[in-house]
Amino acid sequence: MRNGKYKAKIEELLAPTGITINGDHPWDPQVHNEDFYPRVMAKGSMALGESYMDGWWDAEKLDEFFHRIFMASIDSCFCRLSDISNCLLAKIYNFQKIARAYQVGEHHYDIGNDLYKKMLDKRLMYSCGYWKEAADLDEAQEHKLDLICRKLDIKPGMKVLDIGCGWGGAARFIARRYQAEVVGVTISKEQAALARQRCRNLPVTIKLQDYRKLYGEFDRIFSIGMFEHVGYKNYGIYMETARNLLKKDGIFLLHTIGGSRSNVRIDPWINKYIFPNSVLPSPKQITEAVEGRFVIEDWHNFGADYDTTLMAWFQNFEESWKELKNDYDERFYRMWKYYLLCCAGSFRARKNQLWQLVLTPQGIVNGYEAPR
């Protein structure tokens, strides 16, 4: 069999994971096209994702398939020369410069508000929920927003900046519950339009612009799930911008996905199909950008909650597909399913983290007591 040697190699790589090709477990991949094996061996993770989109293989529990892959660090075995060249380009070129800032908005966030309304919670929070005492997705997202506000110690009348405001869920929550004035900024036209609609008659201003063009002075600043789009070449600029916008006695909260190793690019499949020009920061990269600009008052990791959040999103997406498929084709369905469940598996394996950092310009007198 012409593809036998490639199949044998993949089976050898999968041996430590407990995954068996065409096996009986729900995490075992069922291969429908024998060309799958040389394709994946030649092009690594890109081919794994694209062949799934093409219907060449399936797995009943795709999230558990990836959980096992990441737990055994098998993903690192599929690095290809193209991945290396992309990393070299990222070291030379600033993929997140201002001229390219709107690309991820157009590619990902502008693909249809109806999709996100069906998939997300009632506030349209497209970031990790806080499940410590939550019974469902709506509660998890409300508890996350409340946690952020308590960490920021927001008071009525304060001027608050939301860097990466999405569809305005956090801005609306803060304006209504804490009686603060909020300025939100996004690089997505669809997000900005819906955020303005949802925040009408509230002290909320939504701006469609890059964070590097912001001006003014704020009592509090927060950023939820936006730092992943900043790029490692711009971490220092980002922190410097936040520092210049924040009052000396202000507080800045950064909510971001992170990785345990410093990288300059993300997985090539994710980069091409989901989040172009994005990269996950490492602790080292964050602290280097923070150094000389902020005092780190608190660093809270609740990355395991992202697994639960992603599975809730997938359930909503799956249950809504009968309605959504009028606007999206089967290939999109497989792409989106792969994206959500691959990410769930990575957080379940603790390969990726979710951090909230509380930062202050000069440190809080007598210390900071972090809410949980």
Side-chain angles (χ1 to χ4, degrees), residues 8 27 63 67 77 96 99 108 149 161-162 170 172 178 190 194 219 254 257 292 315 324 353 361:
W27 55 80
D63 52 308
H67 172 225
C77 297
Q96 299 83 15
H108 189 81
C149 292
L161 173 63
D162 180 354
R172 188 169 184 263
Y178 288 84
E190 292 294 323
L194 186 55
D219 299 288
L254 177 66
I257 300 171
Q315 182 178 350
L324 292 169
Q353 315 303 324

Side-chain angles (χ1 to χ4, degrees), residues 38-225:
R39 183 178 182 181
V40 170
M41 289 304 299
K43 296 187 178 180
S45 63
M46 179 68 80
L48 186 67
E50 289 183 336
S51 63
Y52 184 84
M53 292 165 63
D54 292 339
W56 284 23
W57 66 280
D58 284 290
E60 181 183 344
K61 296 289 186 181
L62 195 59
D63 52 308
E64 189 58 25
F65 167 81
F66 280 110
H67 172 225
R68 289 170 173 268
I69 291 288
F70 290 127
M71 284 294 290
S73 299
I74 301 300
D75 55 305
S76 62
C77 297
F78 290 98
C79 178
R80 291 294 176 263
L81 288 175
S82 59
D83 302 340
I84 297 172
S85 64
N86 286 334
C87 288
L88 290 175
L89 282 173
K91 288 182 177 291
I92 298 169
Y93 190 68
N94 186 355
F95 284 100
Q96 299 83 15
K97 62 183 181 180
I98 292 179
R100 298 168 62 93
Y102 293 86
Q103 288 184 359
V104 69
E106 295 166 356
H107 183 91
H108 189 81
Y109 298 104
D110 290 346
I111 60 175
N113 285 337
D114 285 345
L115 167 65
Y116 294 108
K117 287 178 180 178
K118 296 291 186 184
M119 186 180 83
L120 305 179
D121 66 300
K122 63 183 180 182
R123 291 189 173 86
L124 298 183
M125 299 305 301
Y126 195 19
S127 55
C128 182
Y130 191 50
W131 291 85
K132 184 179 179 182
E133 297 177 353
D136 56 36
L137 183 62
D138 282 340
E139 279 194 0
Q141 295 295 8
E142 180 172 343
H143 293 183
K144 184 262 297 294
L145 291 174
D146 183 64
L147 178 68
I148 287 171
C149 292
R150 287 187 289 121
K151 287 181 176 181
L152 287 168
D153 192 26
I154 295 178
K155 305 294 185 186
M158 281 186 170
K159 190 172 183 181
V160 180
L161 173 63
D162 180 354
I163 304 177
C165 64
W167 292 275
R172 188 169 184 263
F173 178 86
I174 291 170
R176 294 180 67 182
R177 186 164 299 188
Y178 288 84
Q179 293 79 53
E181 178 185 349
V182 186
V183 174
V185 59
T186 176
I187 44 76
S188 164
K189 294 178 181 178
E190 292 294 323
Q191 284 186 337
L194 186 55
R196 287 168 182 151
Q197 178 185 331
R198 298 174 76 229
C199 294
R200 63 183 181 274
N201 301 322
L202 291 171
V204 174
T205 302
I206 303 296
K207 297 184 177 184
L208 179 65
Q209 68 179 70
D210 185 79
Y211 69 93
R212 285 161 286 199
K213 294 186 176 181
L214 285 167
Y215 59 88
E217 188 176 56
F218 298 87
D219 299 288
R220 300 289 188 266
I221 300 176
F222 68 93
S223 182
I224 306 174

Side-chain angles (χ1 to χ4, degrees), residues 61-68 70-71 303-308 310-311 340-352:
K61 296 289 186 181
L62 195 59
D63 52 308
E64 189 58 25
F65 167 81
F66 280 110
H67 172 225
R68 289 170 173 268
F70 290 127
M71 284 294 290
D305 284 15
Y306 226 140
D307 177 17
T308 311
L310 283 154
M311 294 307 294
L340 293 173
L341 297 183
C342 174
C343 290
S346 73
F347 281 99
R348 193 174 306 164
R350 301 308 306 280
K351 179 180 175 66
N352 292 334

